[in-house]
Amino acid sequence: MTKKSVQALGLTAMLFAGAALSIEPAHAASATGDATVKILSAITVTKSSDLDFGKIVPSAAAATVAIAEDNSRVCGSGLSCFGTTTAGAFAVTGTANETVSVAIDNPSITLTDGGSNSMAVALATTTSAMTLSGTGAGSFKVAGTLNVGANQVAGSYSGQYSVSVSYQ
Amino acid sequence: MRDGSIISYPLMRVILFAGAMACSSLAMVHTANAASGGAAVTIIRSLSATQEESLDFGRILPAARDGMVTVRPDGGTECNGVTLCLGEGKPALFRLTGAEMPLAVSIDPVVAMTGPDAAHVMVTLLPSGPVVMASPAGTAYAVGGQMIVAAGTPPGIYAGQYNISFEYQ
């Protein structure tokens, strides 16, 4: 056998060895699967402040008193409004960075004096959805428009409404 | 010695001739009894399995009692006994590329997903079936799962891994 042929055989052997190292078993294949879930924490909604229209002196004509989310008040024509006013406010807790929807369950309610006298209130919020903070906190406010009747009977009027906050 | 070599040279010729004849005879015998042998091989395309989608149970709000969430291989989901199932769970999808041959599937039966503070949730895996056909263009193979959500499962993100393998049959 010449030297040249020996060298050729050696190269061939090296090629086969290289091929054997680079080829993986082809008859089977394995993979790793991933599984994930995000467990949410329950949402809590806590009232921070009541919607308070303050004190109102009615007139001979019906009018409205509106409380905005920034606690400001617009007193209707003929009415006299004074005293502290506040918008309704709620604090929310849940899973951090999750988006939640906000809804007023009963946007029209009635305030009563415990007897037969009442006033209607229209409720609204500009927050229909929000993303909770990195600590899972959020808040929203509720504005209202009170319909004061002509010569509305004096007294303390109150009523209730409910809100819902849900994960989206 | 010279005489000896003169004498012995013709003898060597005879021996060589006889040897040549013998070889020729052997060759003829070999040719007369020749048979053809067959050889065959099937080269099969290399098999590969790649995860394209991971098994995702979405977002779940546990209830006050134990519940169960199922993500079927066909993509359907069932939520029983939990307050909310959000985010539309989806099964895992593996792309199998290889020869158009049936593959045997073996998979871990259960996977533990670990969450915050080493809390864990167990998932029973629901593979599409024990056998699947591979294809050169790639065949999708889905894996669903069924998860028990215990009451009071701590909130957070849970994740786990499992092994799945495919083999030509």
Side-chain angles (χ1 to χ4, degrees), chain A residues 5-143:
Chain A
S5 63
V6 170
Q7 286 176 335
L9 280 175
L11 180 59
T12 306
M14 287 173 62
L15 286 173
F16 276 113
L21 286 174
S22 64
I23 294 174
E24 295 180 2
H27 69 288
S30 297
T32 300
D34 300 301
T36 59
V37 66
K38 186 174 187 178
I39 301 294
L40 304 175
S41 55
I43 292 174
T44 66
V45 186
T46 307
K47 181 188 69 180
S48 304
S49 67
D50 284 323
L51 172 60
D52 189 348
F53 290 92
K55 296 174 181 173
I56 300 166
V57 177
S59 69
T64 60
V65 176
I67 306 298
E69 290 188 13
D70 63 0
N71 300 324
S72 64
R73 173 175 52 199
V74 175
C75 193
S77 176
L79 301 178
S80 178
C81 302
F82 60 99
T84 303
T85 59
T86 56
F90 295 87
V92 180
T93 64
T95 300
N97 304 314
E98 283 288 325
T99 300
V100 296
S101 60
V102 175
I104 299 173
D105 298 330
N106 44 346
S108 296
I109 62 171
T110 300
L111 307 186
T112 65
D113 63 353
S116 59
N117 301 303
S118 64
M119 288 182 283
V121 174
L123 304 169
T125 179
T126 58
T127 306
S128 58
M130 63 178 165
T131 301
L132 301 179
S133 71
T135 58
S139 65
F140 66 95
K141 292 196 170 186
V142 174

Side-chain angles (χ1 to χ4, degrees), chain A residues 29 31 34 37 39-40 98 168, chain B residues 51 59-60 156 158 162 164 166:
Chain A
D34 300 301
V37 66
I39 301 294
L40 304 175
E98 283 288 325
Q168 284 189 320
Chain B
Q51 181 185 237
R59 296 174 294 152
I60 293 167
Y158 291 70
Y162 58 93
I164 185 168
F166 306 88

Side-chain angles (χ1 to χ4, degrees), chain B residues 84-104:
Chain B
L84 274 178
C85 280
L86 298 167
E88 295 185 3
K90 55 184 174 54
L93 279 180
F94 293 89
R95 178 67 55 185
L96 308 174
T97 306
E100 216 160 292
M101 292 176 60
L103 306 173

